[in-house]
Amino acid sequence: CLRKYEIISKGDFGARIHLLGNLFIECTFWQGDEEFPPDFVFTFCKGLKKVLPTEDIVVATSTVVFDILHFMK
């Protein structure tokens, strides 16, 4: 089940995915063209590192990726 999210104006498709409280990860996707390949970028809110250790941020990002992959099937 995909977490609570909102569409944002970044790239060809962007979403802000809420983790807990005011903490979020932004996902930005670019489709690519003749010059540039497709790209997918994660941007983390500033407060995330203050609340979670790096290992937990990796786990949170992994669960978001798995949610996205599951949603795309």
Side-chain angles (χ1 to χ4, degrees), residues 19-32:
L19 299 176
L20 46 113
N22 292 331
L23 302 177
F24 60 86
I25 297 175
E26 289 184 350
C27 303
T28 307
F29 174 73
W30 289 272
Q31 288 184 341

Side-chain angles (χ1 to χ4, degrees), residues 34-49:
E34 305 82 38
E35 287 187 57
F36 300 101
D39 199 8
F40 196 89
V41 176
F42 289 98
T43 308
F44 305 94
C45 66
K46 292 180 182 180
L48 197 58
K49 192 154 184 159

